[in-house]
Amino acid sequence: PAEVAQRLQSDPNSIADHFDDVSILFADVVDFTPLAGRLDAREVVGLLDRLFTSFDELVDRYEVEKIKTIGDCYMVAAGVPRPRSDHAQALAALALEMGGCAQSCLPEGAEHDLRLRIGISSGPVVAGVIGRRRFLYDLWGDTVNMASRMESHGTADSIQITRSTWELLRDDFVAEPI
């Protein structure tokens, strides 16, 4: 993030911050490994590039922070490094749009589909920059772990949220218990 880069330029020592109220989102392509095995390398990279570029555009529109990609998984945070009271609402709205991006990223006549599993959790995190050769702004804590679990244990084409996120969203979004 720009704010973090400015801090690093003025003080190249460690950046470590605590945020009490953030939301974390993980989005993963369902069955990507078998799909990638059926495509050639250019098709795999092109598919991920189209998908993640469309996600990047949504991230910019919702003014949230892309943290990183891990293979075919995309991690986003709201409320860091700039606190915002609507962090859960921003990521819920983003998540709803991400599913549409997955379908629009497929080339015409594709013999496969792209389905996402999305997980969101809200709460406190530690944020900081690690490394010296390639700087990485990253997040740690139970909130991050729970968002990852919500994604990995979720079902295709659904957004699974923790109770803490539901408590922030219940007046603005419809949720179904599982």
Side-chain angles (χ1 to χ4, degrees):
E3 298 92 338
V4 174
Q6 289 172 350
R7 285 174 61 192
L8 273 176
Q9 287 176 344
S10 63
D11 180 9
N13 295 317
S14 69
I15 289 181
D17 297 314
H18 176 87
F19 295 90
D20 286 321
D21 298 308
V22 306
S23 290
I24 307 296
L25 176 150
F26 283 92
D28 189 67
V29 178
V30 176
D31 294 329
F32 183 76
T33 301
L35 172 61
R38 294 192 308 268
L39 303 174
D40 71 34
R42 286 181 195 262
E43 291 174 309
V44 171
V45 172
L47 181 63
L48 284 177
D49 182 56
R50 285 189 303 277
L51 182 63
F52 289 169
T53 297
S54 67
F55 288 176
D56 289 346
E57 291 168 1
L58 289 174
V59 161
D60 289 345
R61 184 159 21 109
Y62 283 98
E63 298 178 347
V64 295
E65 196 66 47
K66 173 183 176 180
I67 301 301
K68 61 184 167 184
T69 61
I70 309 135
D72 62 308
C73 189
Y74 191 93
M75 181 183 177
V76 182
V80 295
R82 292 168 306 284
R84 60 186 289 178
S85 60
D86 67 339
H87 53 89
Q89 288 80 2
L91 287 191
L94 171 73
L96 289 169
E97 286 199 53
M98 290 174 103
C101 286
Q103 290 309 309
S104 67
C105 288
L106 288 171
E108 199 153 317
E111 295 178 12
H112 51 273
D113 62 351
L114 281 186
R115 300 169 66 199
L116 301 177
R117 268 190 322 264
I118 298 175
I120 304 174
S121 185
S122 303
V125 299
V126 170
V129 175
I130 56 172
R132 293 294 169 256
R133 298 183 85 206
R134 192 177 284 190
F135 294 111
L136 175 67
Y137 183 72
D138 208 349
L139 308 173
W140 301 274
D142 193 49
T143 302
V144 175
N145 296 338
M146 288 301 294
S148 178
R149 298 304 177 280
M150 291 294 100
E151 175 274 310
S152 64
H153 290 83
T155 57
D157 301 324
S158 71
I159 303 163
Q160 186 159 291
I161 62 175
T162 58
R163 181 170 193 80
S164 59
T165 303
W166 174 79
E167 288 172 358
L168 296 169
L169 297 176
R170 66 181 168 199
D171 294 334
D172 301 312
F173 292 84
V174 175
E176 298 175 5
I178 36 176

